Coordinates of all heavy atoms in Angstrom, one line a residue:
M1271 N -13.8 -10.7 9.3 CA -14.4 -9.4 9.4 C -15.0 -9.0 8.0 O -14.4 -9.3 7.0 CB -13.2 -8.4 9.6 CG -13.5 -7.0 9.6 SD -12.0 -6.0 10.0 CE -12.2 -4.6 8.9
K1272 N -16.2 -8.4 8.0 CA -16.9 -8.0 6.9 C -16.3 -6.8 6.2 O -15.8 -5.9 7.0 CB -18.3 -7.9 7.2 CG -19.2 -8.9 6.6 CD -20.8 -8.6 6.6 CE -21.2 -7.6 5.6 NZ -21.0 -7.9 4.3
C1273 N -16.4 -6.7 5.0 CA -15.9 -5.4 4.3 C -16.7 -4.3 4.8 O -17.9 -4.3 5.0 CB -16.1 -5.6 2.7 SG -15.6 -4.2 1.9
L1274 N -15.9 -3.1 4.9 CA -16.5 -2.0 5.5 C -17.3 -1.1 4.4 O -17.9 -0.1 4.8 CB -15.4 -1.1 6.1 CG -14.6 -1.7 7.3 CD1 -13.5 -0.8 7.8 CD2 -15.5 -2.2 8.4
V1275 N -17.0 -1.4 3.2 CA -17.7 -0.6 2.1 C -19.2 -1.0 2.1 O -19.6 -2.2 2.1 CB -17.1 -1.0 0.7 CG1 -17.8 -0.3 -0.3 CG2 -15.6 -0.5 0.8
Q1276 N -20.0 0.1 2.1 CA -21.4 -0.1 2.2 C -22.0 -1.0 1.0 O -21.6 -0.6 -0.1 CB -22.1 1.2 2.3 CG -23.4 1.1 3.1 CD -24.0 2.5 3.3 OE1 -23.5 3.5 2.8 NE2 -25.0 2.5 4.2
G1277 N -22.7 -2.0 1.3 CA -23.2 -2.7 0.2 C -22.5 -3.9 -0.4 O -22.8 -4.6 -1.2
C1278 N -21.2 -3.9 0.0 CA -20.2 -4.9 -0.4 C -20.3 -6.2 0.5 O -20.2 -6.1 1.6 CB -18.7 -4.4 -0.4 SG -17.6 -5.7 -0.9
P1279 N -20.6 -7.3 -0.1 CA -20.8 -8.5 0.6 C -19.4 -9.2 1.0 O -19.4 -10.3 1.6 CB -21.6 -9.4 -0.2 CG -21.2 -9.0 -1.6 CD -20.9 -7.5 -1.6
G1280 N -18.3 -8.6 0.6 CA -17.0 -9.3 0.8 C -16.6 -9.5 2.2 O -17.0 -8.8 3.1
E1281 N -15.7 -10.5 2.4 CA -15.3 -10.9 3.7 C -13.7 -10.6 3.7 O -13.0 -11.1 2.7 CB -15.5 -12.3 4.0 CG -15.3 -12.8 5.5 CD -16.3 -12.3 6.4 OE1 -17.5 -12.1 6.0 OE2 -16.0 -12.2 7.6
M1282 N -13.2 -9.6 4.5 CA -11.8 -9.2 4.4 C -10.8 -10.4 4.6 O -11.1 -11.3 5.5 CB -11.5 -8.2 5.5 CG -12.4 -7.0 5.5 SD -12.3 -6.0 4.0 CE -10.9 -4.9 4.4
E1283 N -9.8 -10.5 3.8 CA -8.9 -11.6 3.9 C -7.5 -11.0 4.3 O -7.1 -9.9 3.8 CB -8.6 -12.3 2.5 CG -9.8 -13.0 2.0 CD -9.5 -13.6 0.6 OE1 -8.4 -13.2 0.0 OE2 -10.4 -14.4 0.1
A1284 N -6.8 -11.8 5.2 CA -5.4 -11.3 5.4 C -4.5 -11.6 4.3 O -4.4 -12.8 3.7 CB -4.9 -12.1 6.7
R1285 N -3.8 -10.5 3.8 CA -2.9 -10.7 2.6 C -1.6 -9.9 3.0 O -1.6 -9.1 3.8 CB -3.5 -10.2 1.4 CG -4.7 -11.0 0.9 CD -4.9 -10.8 -0.5 NE -6.3 -11.3 -1.0 CZ -6.9 -10.9 -2.1 NH1 -6.3 -9.8 -2.8 NH2 -8.1 -11.3 -2.4
R1286 N -0.7 -10.2 2.1 CA 0.6 -9.4 2.1 C 0.5 -8.4 0.8 O 0.2 -9.1 -0.3 CB 1.8 -10.2 2.0 CG 2.0 -11.1 3.2 CD 2.7 -10.4 4.3 NE 2.6 -11.0 5.6 CZ 3.4 -10.7 6.6 NH1 4.4 -9.8 6.4 NH2 3.3 -11.3 7.7
I1287 N 0.6 -7.2 1.1 CA 0.4 -6.2 -0.2 C 1.7 -5.4 -0.5 O 2.6 -5.5 0.4 CB -0.8 -5.3 0.1 CG1 -0.5 -4.4 1.3 CG2 -2.1 -6.0 0.3 CD1 -1.4 -3.1 1.3
I1288 N 1.7 -4.8 -1.6 CA 2.8 -3.9 -1.9 C 2.1 -2.5 -1.8 O 1.1 -2.2 -2.3 CB 3.2 -4.2 -3.4 CG1 4.0 -5.4 -3.5 CG2 4.1 -3.0 -3.8 CD1 4.5 -5.8 -4.9
H1289 N 2.8 -1.7 -1.1 CA 2.3 -0.4 -0.8 C 3.3 0.6 -1.4 O 4.5 0.5 -1.2 CB 2.2 -0.2 0.8 CG 1.7 1.2 1.2 ND1 0.4 1.6 1.0 CD2 2.3 2.3 1.7 CE1 0.2 2.8 1.4 NE2 1.5 3.2 1.9
T1290 N 2.8 1.6 -2.1 CA 3.6 2.6 -2.7 C 3.2 4.0 -2.1 O 2.0 4.3 -2.0 CB 3.4 2.6 -4.2 OG1 3.4 1.2 -4.7 CG2 4.4 3.4 -4.9
F1291 N 4.2 4.7 -1.8 CA 3.9 6.2 -1.4 C 5.1 7.0 -1.9 O 6.1 6.6 -2.5 CB 3.8 6.3 0.1 CG 5.0 5.8 0.9 CD1 5.8 6.8 1.5 CD2 5.1 4.5 1.2 CE1 6.9 6.4 2.2 CE2 6.2 4.1 2.0 CZ 7.1 5.0 2.4
V1292 N 5.0 8.3 -1.9 CA 5.9 9.2 -2.3 C 6.6 10.0 -1.1 O 5.8 10.5 -0.2 CB 5.3 10.3 -3.3 CG1 6.3 11.3 -3.7 CG2 4.8 9.6 -4.5
R1293 N 7.9 9.9 -1.0 CA 8.5 10.6 0.0 C 9.6 11.5 -0.7 O 10.4 11.0 -1.4 CB 9.1 9.7 1.1 CG 9.8 10.2 2.4 CD 8.8 10.5 3.4 NE 7.9 9.5 3.9 CZ 8.3 8.7 4.9 NH1 9.5 8.7 5.4 NH2 7.4 7.8 5.4
G1294 N 9.5 12.8 -0.4 CA 10.5 13.7 -1.0 C 10.5 13.7 -2.5 O 11.5 13.8 -3.1
G1295 N 9.3 13.5 -3.1 CA 9.2 13.5 -4.5 C 9.5 12.2 -5.2 O 9.4 12.1 -6.4
K1296 N 10.0 11.2 -4.4 CA 10.4 10.0 -5.0 C 9.4 8.8 -4.5 O 9.1 8.8 -3.4 CB 11.8 9.6 -4.5 CG 12.9 10.4 -5.2 CD 14.3 9.7 -4.9 CE 14.7 9.9 -3.6 NZ 16.1 9.4 -3.4
P1297 N 9.2 7.9 -5.5 CA 8.3 6.8 -5.2 C 8.9 5.8 -4.3 O 10.1 5.5 -4.6 CB 7.8 6.2 -6.5 CG 8.7 6.7 -7.5 CD 9.5 7.9 -6.9
I1298 N 8.3 5.3 -3.2 CA 8.9 4.3 -2.3 C 8.0 3.1 -2.4 O 6.7 3.3 -2.3 CB 9.0 4.9 -0.9 CG1 9.7 6.2 -0.9 CG2 9.7 3.9 0.0 CD1 11.1 6.3 -1.1
V1299 N 8.5 2.0 -2.5 CA 7.7 0.8 -2.6 C 8.1 -0.1 -1.4 O 9.2 -0.4 -1.1 CB 8.1 0.0 -3.9 CG1 7.3 -1.3 -4.0 CG2 7.8 0.8 -5.1
V1300 N 7.1 -0.5 -0.6 CA 7.2 -1.4 0.5 C 6.4 -2.7 0.2 O 5.2 -2.6 -0.1 CB 6.7 -0.8 1.8 CG1 6.8 -1.7 3.0 CG2 7.4 0.6 2.1
Q1301 N 7.2 -3.8 0.1 CA 6.5 -5.1 -0.1 C 6.3 -5.9 1.1 O 6.8 -5.6 2.2 CB 7.2 -5.9 -1.2 CG 8.7 -6.3 -0.7 CD 9.3 -7.2 -1.8 OE1 9.0 -7.2 -2.9 NE2 10.3 -7.8 -1.3
D1302 N 5.4 -6.9 1.0 CA 5.0 -7.8 2.1 C 4.4 -7.1 3.4 O 4.7 -7.5 4.4 CB 6.3 -8.6 2.6 CG 6.7 -9.6 1.6 OD1 5.9 -10.1 0.8 OD2 7.9 -10.0 1.6
L1303 N 3.6 -6.2 3.0 CA 3.0 -5.5 4.2 C 1.8 -6.2 4.5 O 0.9 -6.4 3.6 CB 2.7 -4.0 3.7 CG 2.6 -2.9 4.8 CD1 3.9 -2.7 5.4 CD2 2.1 -1.6 4.1
P1304 N 1.6 -6.6 5.8 CA 0.3 -7.3 6.1 C -0.8 -6.3 6.1 O -0.8 -5.2 6.6 CB 0.7 -7.8 7.6 CG 1.8 -6.9 8.1 CD 2.5 -6.3 6.9
A1305 N -1.9 -6.8 5.5 CA -3.1 -6.0 5.4 C -4.4 -6.8 5.2 O -4.2 -8.1 5.1 CB -3.0 -5.1 4.1
L1306 N -5.5 -6.3 5.5 CA -6.7 -6.9 5.2 C -7.3 -6.4 3.9 O -7.4 -5.2 3.8 CB -7.8 -6.7 6.4 CG -7.5 -7.3 7.7 CD1 -8.4 -6.9 8.8 CD2 -7.5 -8.9 7.5
V1307 N -7.6 -7.3 3.0 CA -8.1 -6.9 1.7 C -9.4 -7.5 1.4 O -9.6 -8.8 1.6 CB -7.1 -7.3 0.6 CG1 -7.5 -6.8 -0.8 CG2 -5.7 -6.7 0.9
C1308 N -10.4 -6.8 0.9 CA -11.6 -7.3 0.4 C -11.4 -7.9 -0.9 O -11.0 -7.2 -1.9 CB -12.7 -6.2 0.4 SG -14.2 -6.8 -0.4
P1309 N -11.6 -9.3 -1.2 CA -11.4 -9.8 -2.5 C -12.5 -9.3 -3.6 O -12.2 -9.6 -4.7 CB -11.6 -11.4 -2.2 CG -12.4 -11.4 -1.0 CD -12.1 -10.2 -0.2
I1310 N -13.6 -8.8 -3.1 CA -14.5 -8.3 -4.1 C -14.3 -6.9 -4.6 O -14.2 -6.7 -5.8 CB -16.0 -8.4 -3.4 CG1 -16.3 -9.9 -3.3 CG2 -17.1 -7.8 -4.3 CD1 -17.5 -10.3 -2.7
C1311 N -14.2 -5.9 -3.7 CA -14.0 -4.6 -4.1 C -12.6 -4.0 -4.0 O -12.3 -3.0 -4.4 CB -14.9 -3.7 -3.4 SG -14.5 -3.3 -1.7
G1312 N -11.7 -4.8 -3.3 CA -10.3 -4.4 -3.2 C -10.0 -3.4 -2.1 O -9.0 -3.0 -2.0
Y1313 N -11.0 -3.1 -1.2 CA -10.9 -2.3 -0.1 C -9.8 -2.8 0.8 O -9.8 -4.0 1.1 CB -12.2 -2.0 0.6 CG -12.1 -1.1 1.7 CD1 -12.0 0.2 1.5 CD2 -12.2 -1.5 3.1 CE1 -12.1 1.2 2.5 CE2 -12.1 -0.7 4.1 CZ -12.0 0.7 3.9 OH -12.0 1.6 4.9
T1314 N -8.8 -2.0 1.2 CA -7.7 -2.4 2.0 C -7.6 -1.7 3.3 O -7.9 -0.5 3.3 CB -6.4 -2.1 1.2 OG1 -6.5 -2.9 -0.1 CG2 -5.2 -2.7 1.9
V1315 N -7.4 -2.4 4.4 CA -7.2 -1.9 5.7 C -5.9 -2.3 6.3 O -5.5 -3.4 6.3 CB -8.4 -2.4 6.6 CG1 -8.1 -1.9 8.1 CG2 -9.7 -2.0 6.1
L1316 N -5.2 -1.2 6.7 CA -3.9 -1.5 7.4 C -4.1 -1.3 8.9 O -4.8 -0.5 9.3 CB -2.8 -0.5 6.9 CG -2.4 -0.6 5.5 CD1 -1.4 0.6 5.2 CD2 -1.8 -1.9 5.2
D1317 N -3.5 -2.3 9.6 CA -3.4 -2.3 11.0 C -2.9 -1.0 11.6 O -1.9 -0.5 10.9 CB -2.6 -3.5 11.5 CG -3.0 -3.8 12.9 OD1 -4.0 -4.4 13.2 OD2 -2.1 -3.4 13.8
L1318 N -3.4 -0.5 12.7 CA -2.8 0.8 13.2 C -1.3 0.6 13.5 O -0.5 1.6 13.3 CB -3.5 1.1 14.6 CG -4.6 2.3 14.5 CD1 -4.9 2.6 15.9 CD2 -4.0 3.4 13.8
Q1319 N -0.8 -0.6 13.9 CA 0.6 -0.8 14.2 C 1.4 -0.8 12.9 O 2.5 -0.3 13.0 CB 0.6 -2.2 14.8 CG 1.9 -2.6 15.6 CD 1.9 -4.0 16.0 OE1 0.8 -4.5 16.3 NE2 3.0 -4.6 16.0
V1320 N 0.8 -1.3 11.9 CA 1.5 -1.2 10.6 C 1.6 0.2 10.1 O 2.6 0.7 9.6 CB 0.8 -2.1 9.5 CG1 1.3 -2.0 8.1 CG2 0.7 -3.6 9.9
L1321 N 0.5 0.9 10.3 CA 0.6 2.4 9.8 C 1.5 3.2 10.7 O 2.3 4.0 10.1 CB -0.8 3.0 10.2 CG -2.0 2.7 9.1 CD1 -3.3 3.3 9.5 CD2 -1.5 3.3 7.7
D1322 N 1.7 2.8 11.9 CA 2.8 3.5 12.8 C 4.2 3.2 12.2 O 4.9 4.1 12.1 CB 2.6 3.1 14.3 CG 1.6 3.9 15.0 OD1 1.1 4.9 14.4 OD2 1.3 3.4 16.2
S1323 N 4.4 1.9 11.9 CA 5.7 1.5 11.4 C 6.0 2.2 10.1 O 7.0 2.6 9.8 CB 5.8 0.0 11.2 OG 5.1 -0.6 12.2
L1324 N 4.9 2.4 9.2 CA 5.1 3.0 7.9 C 5.4 4.4 8.2 O 6.3 5.1 7.5 CB 3.8 2.9 7.2 CG 3.7 1.9 6.0 CD1 2.4 2.2 5.4 CD2 4.8 2.0 5.1
F1325 N 4.7 5.1 9.1 CA 5.0 6.5 9.5 C 6.4 6.8 9.9 O 7.0 7.7 9.6 CB 4.0 6.9 10.5 CG 4.0 8.5 10.8 CD1 3.5 9.3 9.8 CD2 4.5 8.9 12.0 CE1 3.6 10.6 10.1 CE2 4.6 10.2 12.2 CZ 4.1 11.2 11.4
L1326 N 6.9 5.8 10.7 CA 8.3 6.0 11.3 C 9.3 5.6 10.4 O 10.5 5.9 10.6 CB 8.3 5.1 12.6 CG 7.4 5.6 13.8 CD1 7.5 4.6 14.9 CD2 7.9 7.0 14.3
F1327 N 9.0 4.8 9.3 CA 9.9 4.3 8.4 C 10.6 5.4 7.7 O 10.0 6.3 7.1 CB 9.1 3.4 7.4 CG 10.1 2.8 6.2 CD1 11.1 2.0 6.5 CD2 9.9 3.3 5.0 CE1 11.8 1.6 5.4 CE2 10.6 2.9 3.9 CZ 11.6 2.1 4.2
D1328 N 11.9 5.3 7.6 CA 12.7 6.3 6.9 C 13.5 5.6 5.8 O 14.5 5.0 6.0 CB 13.7 7.0 7.8 CG 14.5 8.1 7.2 OD1 14.3 8.3 6.0 OD2 15.4 8.6 7.9
P1329 N 13.1 5.8 4.6 CA 13.7 5.2 3.4 C 15.2 5.7 3.1 O 16.0 5.0 2.5 CB 12.8 5.6 2.2 CG 11.9 6.6 2.6 CD 11.9 6.8 4.1
E1330 N 15.5 6.8 3.8 CA 16.9 7.3 3.6 C 17.9 6.5 4.4 O 19.1 6.3 4.1 CB 17.0 8.8 4.1 CG 16.1 9.8 3.2 CD 16.6 9.8 1.8 OE1 17.9 9.7 1.6 OE2 15.7 9.9 0.9
T1331 N 17.5 5.9 5.5 CA 18.4 5.2 6.4 C 18.2 3.7 6.3 O 19.1 2.9 6.7 CB 18.2 5.6 7.9 OG1 16.9 5.3 8.2 CG2 18.6 7.1 8.0
A1332 N 17.0 3.2 5.7 CA 16.9 1.8 5.6 C 17.5 1.2 4.4 O 17.8 1.9 3.4 CB 15.3 1.5 5.5
E1333 N 17.8 -0.1 4.5 CA 18.6 -0.8 3.4 C 17.5 -1.4 2.5 O 16.7 -2.3 2.9 CB 19.4 -1.9 4.0 CG 20.4 -2.5 3.0 CD 21.4 -1.5 2.5 OE1 21.9 -0.6 3.2 OE2 21.7 -1.7 1.3
P1334 N 17.4 -1.0 1.1 CA 16.4 -1.5 0.2 C 16.7 -3.1 0.0 O 17.8 -3.6 0.0 CB 16.7 -0.9 -1.1 CG 17.6 0.3 -0.8 CD 18.3 0.0 0.5
V1335 N 15.5 -3.9 -0.1 CA 15.7 -5.3 -0.4 C 15.6 -5.6 -1.8 O 15.8 -6.7 -2.3 CB 14.6 -6.0 0.4 CG1 14.8 -6.0 1.9 CG2 13.2 -5.6 0.0
G1336 N 15.3 -4.5 -2.7 CA 15.2 -4.7 -4.1 C 15.1 -3.3 -4.8 O 14.9 -2.3 -4.2
Q1337 N 15.0 -3.4 -6.1 CA 14.8 -2.2 -6.9 C 13.6 -2.4 -7.8 O 13.3 -3.5 -8.3 CB 16.0 -1.9 -7.9 CG 17.3 -1.6 -7.1 CD 17.3 -0.3 -6.5 OE1 16.6 0.7 -7.0 NE2 17.9 -0.1 -5.3
A1338 N 12.7 -1.4 -7.9 CA 11.6 -1.5 -8.9 C 11.7 -0.4 -9.9 O 12.1 0.8 -9.7 CB 10.3 -1.1 -8.0
P1339 N 11.5 -0.8 -11.2 CA 11.5 0.1 -12.2 C 10.3 1.1 -12.1 O 9.2 0.7 -11.7 CB 11.3 -0.8 -13.5 CG 10.8 -2.1 -13.1 CD 11.1 -2.2 -11.5
V1340 N 10.5 2.3 -12.5 CA 9.4 3.4 -12.4 C 9.1 3.8 -13.9 O 10.0 4.1 -14.7 CB 10.0 4.6 -11.6 CG1 8.9 5.7 -11.5 CG2 10.4 4.2 -10.3
F1341 N 7.8 3.8 -14.1 CA 7.4 4.1 -15.6 C 6.4 5.2 -15.5 O 5.8 5.6 -14.4 CB 6.6 2.8 -16.2 CG 7.5 1.7 -16.3 CD1 7.4 0.7 -15.4 CD2 8.4 1.5 -17.3 CE1 8.3 -0.5 -15.4 CE2 9.2 0.4 -17.4 CZ 9.1 -0.6 -16.5
R1342 N 6.2 5.9 -16.7 CA 5.2 6.8 -16.7 C 4.5 6.5 -18.1 O 5.2 6.4 -19.2 CB 5.8 8.3 -16.8 CG 4.8 9.4 -16.9 CD 5.3 10.8 -17.0 NE 5.8 11.2 -15.8 CZ 6.9 11.7 -15.6 NH1 7.8 11.9 -16.7 NH2 7.4 12.2 -14.4
L1343 N 3.2 6.4 -18.1 CA 2.5 6.2 -19.3 C 2.1 7.5 -19.9 O 1.7 8.5 -19.2 CB 1.1 5.5 -19.1 CG 1.3 4.1 -18.4 CD1 -0.2 3.4 -18.3 CD2 2.1 3.1 -19.2
S1344 N 2.2 7.5 -21.3 CA 1.8 8.8 -21.9 C 0.3 8.7 -22.2 O -0.1 8.1 -23.3 CB 2.6 9.0 -23.2 OG 2.7 7.7 -23.9
L1345 N -0.5 9.3 -21.4 CA -1.9 9.3 -21.5 C -2.4 10.8 -21.7 O -1.9 11.7 -21.1 CB -2.5 8.7 -20.3 CG -2.2 7.3 -20.0 CD1 -2.8 6.8 -18.6 CD2 -2.7 6.4 -21.0
T1346 N -3.4 10.9 -22.5 CA -4.0 12.2 -22.5 C -5.1 12.4 -21.5 O -5.9 11.4 -21.3 CB -4.7 12.4 -23.9 OG1 -5.2 11.2 -24.4 CG2 -3.7 12.9 -25.0
P1347 N -5.1 13.4 -20.9 CA -6.1 13.6 -19.6 C -7.5 13.5 -20.2 O -7.8 14.0 -21.3 CB -5.8 15.0 -19.1 CG -4.5 15.5 -19.8 CD -4.2 14.6 -21.0
V1348 N -8.3 12.9 -19.4 CA -9.7 12.8 -19.7 C -10.4 14.1 -19.4 O -10.3 14.6 -18.3 CB -10.5 11.7 -19.0 CG1 -11.9 11.5 -19.3 CG2 -9.7 10.3 -19.3
T1349 N -11.1 14.7 -20.4 CA -11.7 16.0 -20.2 C -13.2 15.9 -19.9 O -13.8 15.0 -20.3 CB -11.5 17.0 -21.4 OG1 -11.7 16.3 -22.6 CG2 -10.0 17.4 -21.4
Ligands
ZN806 ZN1 -15.6 -5.0 -0.3

């Protein structure tokens, strides 16, 4: 499948990605998520079925498979 980004000649590749989102103010990390990724521009597409599972996923009741350190960089905002 060709990349959906206009002007990008990339061909989407099936990969396993790490997806991060925030639930209840806390960062949640999901690894090994199947996705299509453009190797040129990095555009990522998740399957509808994967999106559904993510939507239904409840980090409060699921058993974590690992821990990830959380950092904050001290950066001055670009004005
Ligand atoms: Zn692309």
Side-chain angles (χ1 to χ4, degrees):
M1271 172 179 144
K1272 251 189 75 58
C1273 178
L1274 301 177
V1275 174
Q1276 210 174 8
C1278 177
E1281 193 74 28
M1282 308 294 279
E1283 289 176 354
R1285 289 201 197 158
R1286 297 272 166 166
I1287 63 161
I1288 292 179
H1289 179 70
T1290 313
F1291 59 99
V1292 175
R1293 188 79 59 87
K1296 283 193 293 185
I1298 308 288
V1299 181
V1300 180
Q1301 66 178 15
D1302 286 335
L1303 206 63
L1306 289 173
V1307 181
C1308 172
I1310 292 181
C1311 72
Y1313 184 73
T1314 302
V1315 177
L1316 294 176
D1317 197 76
L1318 258 190
Q1319 197 185 325
V1320 174
L1321 279 176
D1322 273 351
S1323 324
L1324 260 186
F1325 185 72
L1326 295 172
F1327 172 68
D1328 181 3
E1330 295 298 323
T1331 57
E1333 191 65 36
V1335 296
Q1337 294 288 327
V1340 179
F1341 300 99
R1342 180 184 288 132
L1343 297 182
S1344 45
L1345 298 172
T1346 36
V1348 182
T1349 48

